[in-house]
Amino acid sequence: MVRAYTTVITGTGASEDALAAIRELDGVTEAHVVAGDFDIVAEIEAETVRGLQKIVTAGIHEIEDVGTTRTYIQMD
């Protein structure tokens, strides 16, 4: 199993709606609204790195008001 953390920047006032949609995606184990340089942090997992990529590109990026994302693969 491969795990990663994806940070998400949303449109103004859209964090709660985006968070609800992200939490419903297969492969998302946790997601939270945070304060700082981005609006949401999601922990995701898949069998392969390609699977992680699919969660981000075909899942998170398809949610309305999701803007920039950054994904950090867990190394330990």
Side-chain angles (χ1 to χ4, degrees):
M1 190 67 62
V2 184
R3 292 183 185 198
Y5 302 93
T6 298
T7 62
V8 180
I9 296 175
T10 66
T12 303
S15 295
E16 292 295 331
D17 290 339
L19 177 66
I22 289 169
R23 284 180 171 167
E24 292 181 14
L25 295 173
D26 288 338
V28 174
T29 58
E30 284 196 49
H32 303 279
V33 172
V34 296
D37 293 333
F38 34 84
D39 302 304
I40 297 170
V41 174
E43 182 178 18
I44 60 176
E45 65 180 19
E47 291 296 321
T48 63
V49 172
R50 183 76 64 189
L52 293 175
Q53 181 182 18
K54 185 175 180 180
I55 293 166
V56 175
T57 59
I60 294 173
H61 275 275
E62 294 298 315
I63 295 169
E64 187 173 350
D65 289 318
V66 166
T68 302
T69 64
R70 296 280 186 260
T71 300
Y72 304 92
I73 297 174
Q74 183 176 320
M75 301 298 288
D76 63 355

